[in-house]
């Protein structure tokens, strides 16, 4: 298949983009891309590729932007129930404690998720993944973390793998048994930490080793925050995970700075995420490492707060910066990564080009898939978007809608279905 | 047609909702609505309507929310060209003056619009109206104002009427020849004001009177702001319009308070819009009048500013509050009124119920159509939405996506087409 006559073909070629290099889109005007099966074979000006491959099946992009599929490297897309009532209470000024007392907060999602069957989890999550996919996310990281007990956490992993198998998207599972202290251990966080280390992680490893599929081990993540896991507990979990061979991620510096970002750099985590309250020294540690800093602008927006990741500081320090939605039922229910780009332009002061690179090649690095996705280069997987615009800057400039005209995943074009007559 | 088994049928019945009454949704659990042709005949519990109208064609809403079509009472949806480059300059911190000097700002849209044919205007605008419609706006006000000369302003009116005729939506035209001082008059704003009064308004009146269609006169609007029209000039234009029989609107108190809001109340304008810097006395004047206050939260969001309409003050004073997108190429290119609801919840502290009433019955009042649209009541027009959710509060709670499953306009159901292979 030869897609030609793109007004701008954004290759975003080359390695993940560090510091002020972020935003190198590698634009080919009147560009074309050739792929065979799921693999990109050639990229260049339309005239050149049309001449070189006269027999290829053709798709005229008709002056649209063609770009790599978006990559969402941080979501909590799988859960049961919703927290619409809690949203209303928050607007009324109810405090976190009042919401907890009224049965809200993360533990209400844990209750609903523990009660859900794998079929129910798959059905509810599938609707959200379709929203993400039709808005251009072709690879999506999905975390567990609403089970907080071995059985439900593993059920969530199984549901993620089933969803990955069933849908057009590509999912990257992350184990987040350390998302919160399980209610059974609320007075003894250390005992829950020990449970994660001694029971959950070995069980996850065994599940992987006894499965018939052949996929890389999932990420192990931890929420390092006041009220969740302190720095020592976070280190304990991540070091145990690392000893078992799992690649690492961390939620750090969302509200309080406990030192999680520097821990991520020390342990060579794939990413450190949120990073709103990171210190100069945390930023320097991350910038000196291979750990990707993931900004999640939907979260403060969803909460109507004004605390965004200080993106410019990460870029000035020479760090690797990425973007993700943080899709979750408590703080930000938005599946649309284009919206994260629009928010990042306005509140993290990224240019559209920087935000696009952050949500493609650098997002691929945040899930250690930059060798295969995140750019349009020969040998890479044919994950492509056609946008209904002729200038890439409309991503960022426009918001709240969908500029995606067509999604191509692993070389297969998916017409985007109209909304289905079904409650989501 | 009988739509039944809605989890919640939001009737929003009754008059526009003043002050703290805002948010009365008139929810019927397991609700149903019957319409014949374009007119609603009956509303009530599903069991009741299914028994009373056994022969009606049925549509099972399957547990979805059914609500009135959204009404967008303030857009500048018709223009040519775009200002993506200007968006990038703003992010880089370029000032308004620097942008003007580089050829940006409203006058760049005026140049492009003056050069566009009516066919070009219709084509570009149609893509935007489809976005608005598929996100649930069934009635959309559209302003002229990128011509700033009689001929182009009238061409814009003609394009709006043609779009109204061609599309499934219902458009409400507004004449905004007084959107900015035309470049030819930049040193003599009074001369341009006189031109609007002596040439444009009479020409518009004549155009209407000699047309074969039979529709109410369009609104006449003015941008009362520093750098645009001062209070005396705004009064001159609005009084002349009123003398000719036009209903009135005004852009007031967006950046500076020149007294436009109180002028709107004095002249019985249908609405006063923006109202970010309105004083206590302006708010009291509006609240004592029939003029609807229209909040436009997309505008400060689009500009990454933090100056939102003080909605709670309007409600405390007993005013009529509405919401609109302000869709335009300079400050906020977002066709999605659901996004305005989500912004209003977060930044104007409206509850989802208040924001929904503001974007339906009160928005209908802002365009003087509350007798016909904005609620689900016998005798009203069958403008309905089916949402992919079972609880109305998901509007507001979720953002950046589309919860609309189906749109019914004047009794006709429009399946929402998938994105078309065409540059917008």
């Amino acid at each position: 298949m030869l897609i030609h006559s793109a007004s701008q073909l954004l290759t975003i070629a080359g390695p993940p983009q560090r510091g002020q290099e972020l935003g190198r889109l590698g634009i080919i005007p009147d560009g074309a891309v050739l792929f065979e099966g799921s693999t990109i074979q050639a990229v260049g000006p339309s005239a050149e590729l049309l001449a070189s491959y006269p027999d290829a099946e053709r798709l005229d992009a008709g002056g649209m932007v063609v770009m790599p599929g978006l990559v969402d490297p941080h979501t909590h897309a799988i859960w049961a129930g919703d927290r619409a009532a809690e949203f209303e209470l928050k607007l009324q000024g109810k405090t976190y404690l009042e919401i907890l007392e009224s049965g809200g907060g993360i533990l209400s999602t844990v209750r609903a998720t523990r009660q859900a069957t794998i079929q129910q989890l798959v059905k509810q999550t599938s609707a959200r993944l379709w929203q993400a996919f039709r808005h251009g996310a072709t690879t999506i990281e999905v975390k567990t973390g609403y089970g907080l007990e071995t059985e439900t956490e593993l059920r969530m992993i199984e549901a993620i793998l089933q969803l990955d198998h069933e849908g057009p998207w590509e999912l990257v599972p992350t184990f987040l048994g350390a998302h919160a202290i399980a209610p059974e251990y609320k007075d003894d966080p250390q005992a829950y930490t020990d449970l994660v280390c001694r029971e959950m992680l070995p069980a996850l490893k065994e599940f992987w080793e006894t499965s018939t599929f052949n996929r890389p081990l999932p990420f192990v993540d931890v929420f390092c925050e006041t009220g969740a896991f302190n720095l020592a507990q976070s280190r304990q979990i991540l070091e145990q995970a690392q000893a078992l061979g799992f690649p690492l991620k961390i939620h750090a510096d969302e509200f309080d700075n406990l030192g999680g970002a520097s821990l991520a750099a020390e342990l060579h985590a794939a990413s450190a995420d949120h990073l709103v309250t990171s210190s100069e020294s945390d930023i320097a540690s991350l910038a000196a490492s291979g750990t990707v800093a993931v900004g999640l602008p939907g979260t403060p927006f969803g909460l109507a707060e004004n605390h965004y990741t200080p993106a410019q500081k990460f870029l000035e320090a020479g760090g690797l910066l990425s973007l993700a939605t943080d899709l979750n039922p408590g703080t930000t229910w938005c599946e649309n990564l284009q919206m994260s780009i629009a928010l990042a332009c306005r509140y993290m002061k990224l240019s559209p080009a920087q935000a696009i690179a952050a949500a493609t090649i650098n997002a691929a690095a945040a899930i250690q898939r930059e060798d295969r996705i995140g750019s349009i280069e020969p040998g890479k997987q044919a994950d492509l978007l056609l946008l209904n615009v002729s200038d890439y800057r409309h991503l960022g400039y426009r918001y709240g809608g969908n500029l995606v005209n067509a999604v191509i995943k692993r070389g297969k074009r998916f017409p985007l279905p109209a909304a289905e007559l079904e409650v989501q």
Side-chain angles (χ1 to χ4, degrees), chain A:
Chain A
M1 166 81 79
L2 174 60
I3 300 179
H4 63 92
S5 304
S7 59
Q8 303 173 329
L9 185 120
L10 316 185
T11 65
I12 319 186
Q17 302 182 7
R18 263 196 189 274
Q20 306 292 1
E21 283 191 0
L22 185 66
R24 202 183 54 233
L25 297 185
I27 299 172
I28 303 178
D30 193 3
V33 52
L34 176 84
F35 52 92
E36 205 180 307
S38 64
T39 308
I40 295 169
Q41 303 291 341
V43 183
S46 292
E48 200 176 286
L49 266 66
L50 287 167
S52 302
Y53 304 95
D55 300 329
E57 183 189 352
R58 294 179 181 187
L59 176 66
D60 187 341
M64 291 194 279
V65 168
V66 174
M67 64 173 287
L70 295 171
V71 176
D72 192 342
H74 183 135
T75 85
H76 304 258
I78 185 167
W79 74 81
D82 70 67
R83 278 147 70 186
E86 177 183 328
F87 174 72
E88 203 164 31
L89 291 173
K90 274 188 210 154
L91 293 176
Q92 291 163 9
K94 292 282 189 297
T95 65
Y96 183 73
L97 202 65
E98 289 170 315
I99 287 169
L100 274 185
E101 282 167 358
S102 74
I106 185 172
L107 295 182
S108 70
T109 300
V110 170
R111 276 194 301 277
T113 304
R114 285 179 176 181
Q115 287 163 18
T117 64
I118 195 163
Q119 289 76 17
Q120 289 167 331
L121 284 173
V122 164
K123 183 166 188 291
Q124 293 179 35
T125 305
S126 182
R128 296 189 277 268
L129 294 173
W130 270 110
Q131 285 282 345
F133 188 75
R134 74 166 72 194
H135 284 91
T138 49
T139 303
I140 304 163
E141 187 253 22
V142 183
K143 302 179 195 293
T144 71
Y146 294 114
L148 308 185
E149 59 183 12
T150 308
E151 186 208 333
T152 309
E153 288 291 321
L154 289 181
R155 190 160 76 247
M156 291 184 80
I157 282 281
E158 285 187 78
I160 294 169
L161 295 173
Q162 187 176 328
L163 283 158
D164 180 54
H165 184 71
E166 289 178 2
W169 44 70
E170 180 174 347
L171 302 186
V172 174
T174 291
F175 181 80
L176 182 58
H179 193 191
I181 306 298
E184 295 78 8
Y185 293 85
K186 72 182 160 93
D187 300 319
D188 193 353
Q190 185 57 46
Y192 184 66
T193 304
D194 294 341
L195 182 79
V196 171
C197 292
R198 291 178 198 158
E199 182 178 305
M200 291 189 190
L201 293 178
L204 178 66
K205 185 76 185 282
E206 194 193 339
F207 173 81
W208 227 260
E209 284 176 343
T210 56
S211 290
T212 53
F213 58 72
N214 179 24
R215 3 183 348 142
L217 282 170
F219 290 95
V220 169
D221 195 349
V222 60
F223 191 26
C224 180
E225 185 65 57
T226 305
F229 298 85
N230 66 28
L231 187 65
Q233 291 158 345
S234 300
R235 176 185 286 279
Q236 181 186 339
I237 292 165
L238 292 177
E239 286 185 343
Q240 168 69 0
Q242 195 160 51
L244 291 169
F246 293 103
L248 307 181
K249 287 180 164 285
I250 191 165
H251 286 62
D253 301 343
E254 180 177 2
F255 301 107
D256 290 331
N257 183 330
L258 305 190
S262 291
L263 177 65
E266 179 196 331
L267 297 180
H268 306 290
S271 73
D273 303 35
H274 284 296
L275 305 176
V276 175
T277 59
S278 301
S279 68
E280 299 283 326
S281 118
D282 295 320
I283 291 172
S285 298
L286 281 176
S289 77
T291 300
V292 178
V294 181
L296 304 165
T299 319
F301 175 78
L303 292 166
E305 288 177 355
N306 202 20
H307 308 298
Y308 290 89
T309 305
Q312 295 307 325
K313 288 189 183 171
F314 281 94
L315 298 184
E316 283 159 20
L320 283 163
L321 183 73
S322 169
L323 282 176
T325 60
D326 196 19
L327 168 61
N328 76 75
T331 58
T332 177
W333 190 337
C334 173
E335 296 93 342
N336 179 359
L337 198 51
Q338 297 170 55
M339 189 71 212
S340 304
I341 290 172
L343 287 166
C345 289
R346 286 168 179 77
Y347 293 108
M348 293 164 59
K349 298 301 172 198
L350 297 186
S351 68
Q354 289 177 321
I356 289 168
T360 51
I361 188 66
N362 282 18
I367 49 172
Q368 297 182 333
R369 303 288 195 273
E370 72 274 19
D371 58 329
R372 193 160 50 74
I373 59 172
S375 64
I376 302 181
E377 297 179 82
K380 277 203 162 179
Q381 187 166 295
D383 291 1
L384 307 170
L385 305 180
L386 280 71
L387 304 185
N388 276 324
V389 291
S390 57
D391 182 335
Y392 73 86
R393 293 172 297 191
H394 284 252
L395 278 174
Y397 170 40
R398 292 159 68 168
Y399 67 92
N402 187 8
L403 301 187
V404 170
N405 181 288
V407 181
I408 291 163
K409 179 65 185 176
R410 295 192 188 95
K412 188 171 167 201
R413 181 171 166 202
F414 287 87
L416 299 178
E420 290 150 44
L421 193 73
E422 190 176 336
V423 176
Q424 291 175 7

